[in-house]
Amino acid sequence: MRPRSQAWREAAFWAACLGLLFSVRLCHAGVLWADEAYGLAGARRLLEGAALYRDFWFDKPPLYAWIYLCWGARIGWPLRLGGALYALLTCWLAGRAAKALFGRREGLWAAGAIAFFLSFDHPAAIISPAPDFLLLPFTLGTVWALAAGRPAAAGFSAAAGLLANVKALALPALAVLWRPADWKRIVAAYAAGFAVVWMAADGWQEPVWAWGLRYAGDSFLGNPLLEGLRRTANWAGFHAALVMAAALYFRRADPLRGRLAAWLALSLGMAAVGARFFPRYYLALLPALATAAARGAAAARGRRMRVLLALALLVPAVRFGSRHVATLLGRPSAMRDLALWEDCREAAGKIRALARPGDTLLVWGYRPELNVLAGLPGGAPFLDSQPLTGVLADRHLRSDRPTAAAWAQRNRRRLAQTRPTFIADGLGPLNPALAVERYPDLHSWLADYEPAAETRGFRIWRRK
């Protein structure tokens, strides 16, 4: 039996982790990030009775919408508490995996590192329960199962990760690399789990897989290799404490060193998929790096090294902590990722003032916050205009080049069969070439609408 004092210390540790994760997220209770708004909009369509993939287009795996149902797709503090609990689950699994690999002390180091960097990183990456964040527990669950000698559980966890993110396709390779002698059990469990996942996500073949391949194959970066190196170096700089501690581990002889190196290499490949290198993509690196760093930090000798690691943690704490404080004080527009937030709130207020019971809404552009803030049911089987213009959201404010023109034309024909009460064009005022009225095959459909309100970033139409 563990000593009572040890149990109390561990309870205090986990309470501190939850307190940190929740307090940071509570700073953002008054805003809504675009990445979480898209999942929330999908969850609200589910609550309206629509079927995922069949009744509306959703280009992400189903957990992205399902997770928000756990707190009734509400915003404010319930959303922040739900995100904090999911982050705490990630920390707990990191602790279990590192403990199974190395020991109890390393488990606490790994859990603490995950809690810290899920609190002090780019807010757009860590605040929103979005696919890259949602994949973390499945990755850590797979590694924990491997370390505990449960290859079948590892295979099933790897398959279940597809419900969160298609990048989970890398997890079975990791499992086989770690335990090649158990490959038959891993593959059998993975195949069974994959079959269950495929049935649970019925209808996702085109919006998630086919569309996802198009997205991954069409980067907006002119020189992806150079940009990837630059952004990876920046990320490593903000995570210097983990990088230094992991370097301490890899310098030592250890029978697990090759496995952790393979895990880190696969994670880097997951971050590079699509050649975009957004901050949220680098979450894929966090579990492997934190696990190696936990062993390195736990074995570190000398006060100087510990002080150096502590100083390295101050950099992200100050850099990103200031952003949390700015958001808490009501200055979210200071962050580029929230620059359109105030405009969304203004547009939502104008729509609510005009709306009557039974009215519906279509948002044109990638402005999913409005789907949530306006409080109206969906009036069309699309949450945004990417599948209607064929232009991806990572470039549609400055380009009109479609990635999937034929799909978009087919989807506009489907749109023309609908009659939403309001059309909120949040793209045309920012990029006139993609305004809803610029598409000839929608002219007769749009003739039933008239301008009703306008903001800096929205042109709102109402059915006559």
Side-chain angles (χ1 to χ4, degrees):
M1 180 180 297
R2 292 181 302 172
R4 183 174 298 182
S5 60
Q6 180 178 310
W8 277 108
R9 283 197 298 269
E10 289 198 12
F13 169 81
W14 290 112
C17 287
L18 179 58
L20 174 63
L21 293 165
F22 185 43
S23 61
V24 162
R25 282 155 178 77
L26 206 54
C27 293
H28 300 257
V31 301
L32 195 62
W33 293 83
D35 283 342
E36 62 192 353
Y38 188 72
L40 271 165
R44 293 195 174 191
R45 291 301 301 270
L46 293 177
L47 292 175
E48 293 166 14
L52 192 63
Y53 307 123
R54 186 192 69 193
D55 295 332
F56 66 98
W57 176 279
F58 192 75
D59 63 359
K60 297 293 187 288
L63 186 61
Y64 189 19
W66 293 347
I67 192 70
Y68 295 94
L69 298 177
C70 296
W71 48 90
R74 289 181 291 168
I75 60 176
W77 72 264
L79 171 60
R80 299 305 166 218
L81 179 59
L85 291 174
Y86 197 87
L88 186 67
L89 171 64
T90 304
C91 297
W92 183 78
L93 287 168
R96 299 301 296 180
K99 181 180 179 181
L101 288 169
F102 301 115
R104 172 184 168 275
R105 186 171 57 167
E106 287 81 356
L108 294 176
W109 275 100
I114 294 288
F116 182 88
F117 284 104
L118 287 183
S119 300
F120 299 107
D121 202 331
H122 291 278
I126 61 169
I127 299 299
S128 304
D132 293 281
F133 182 23
L134 294 174
L135 181 59
L136 296 180
F138 297 96
T139 300
L140 289 161
T142 301
V143 172
W144 178 24
L146 292 169
R150 298 173 181 171
F156 196 83
S157 176
L162 292 171
L163 292 171
N165 195 319
V166 296
K167 293 178 183 178
L169 286 171
L171 295 182
L174 174 65
V176 172
L177 280 172
W178 271 47
R179 300 186 68 94
D182 294 316
W183 73 269
K184 291 183 179 179
R185 296 173 64 188
I186 292 171
V187 170
Y190 182 81
F194 187 88
V196 172
V197 166
W198 199 266
M199 289 187 291
D202 183 47
W204 67 341
Q205 292 88 338
E206 180 175 286
V208 175
W209 293 95
W211 180 269
L213 284 173
R214 291 283 186 95
Y215 180 86
D218 189 7
S219 173
F220 66 94
L221 297 175
N223 190 332
L225 178 59
L226 184 61
E227 190 66 19
L229 291 173
R230 185 183 69 83
R231 296 190 185 191
T232 301
N234 288 341
W235 186 89
F238 281 117
H239 296 74
L242 291 184
V243 173
M244 288 190 296
L248 290 177
Y249 166 71
F250 284 113
R251 284 174 56 190
R252 298 174 179 269
D254 187 283
L256 296 174
R257 189 170 57 177
R259 295 180 184 180
L260 263 70
W263 184 13
L264 198 57
L266 276 174
S267 300
L268 184 59
M270 292 165 69
V273 168
R276 283 168 171 82
F277 306 101
F278 293 133
R280 63 181 182 271
Y281 288 6
Y282 286 94
L283 287 175
L285 280 167
L286 188 57
L289 192 61
T291 303
R295 180 58 174 165
R301 295 290 183 266
R303 183 179 177 183
R304 180 179 298 179
M305 178 54 66
R306 292 178 182 267
V307 170
L308 188 60
L309 292 175
L311 290 175
L313 291 175
L314 284 177
V315 176
V318 173
R319 176 69 174 86
F320 299 113
S322 62
R323 294 191 176 189
H324 300 320
V325 173
T327 306
L328 177 64
L329 296 178
R331 298 198 297 269
S333 59
M335 279 185 276
R336 182 179 60 183
D337 299 298
L338 288 174
L340 299 177
W341 162 249
E342 295 293 345
D343 185 54
C344 263
R345 289 208 299 185
E346 182 185 353
K350 291 179 180 291
I351 291 172
R352 288 197 302 269
L354 294 169
R356 300 173 182 175
D359 284 354
T360 58
L361 171 68
L362 164 71
V363 177
W364 183 274
Y366 189 74
R367 308 291 292 276
E369 306 97 316
L370 188 61
N371 283 300
V372 177
L373 296 175
L376 297 183
F382 303 99
L383 300 177
D384 71 284
S385 64
Q386 288 181 96
L388 299 169
T389 64
V391 183
L392 302 178
D394 60 14
R395 71 202 64 178
H396 70 180
L397 296 182
R398 59 185 184 278
S399 171
D400 62 351
R401 181 182 65 81
T403 297
W407 282 0
Q409 188 175 35
R410 183 201 63 189
N411 287 331
R412 289 197 298 271
R413 288 196 296 268
R414 185 181 179 190
L415 176 66
Q417 305 304 312
T418 67
R419 293 292 182 270
T421 310
F422 292 95
I423 302 170
D425 183 356
L427 182 56
L430 305 175
N431 185 354
L434 296 181
V436 64
E437 64 265 30
R438 293 296 297 270
Y439 289 87
D441 50 359
L442 293 179
H443 283 173
S444 61
W445 173 73
L446 196 59
D448 291 336
Y449 292 82
E450 60 185 0
E454 194 168 346
T455 70
R456 182 179 66 86
F458 276 100
R459 189 173 299 116
I460 300 166
W461 306 71
R462 181 170 58 182
R463 197 172 66 226
K464 295 177 184 177

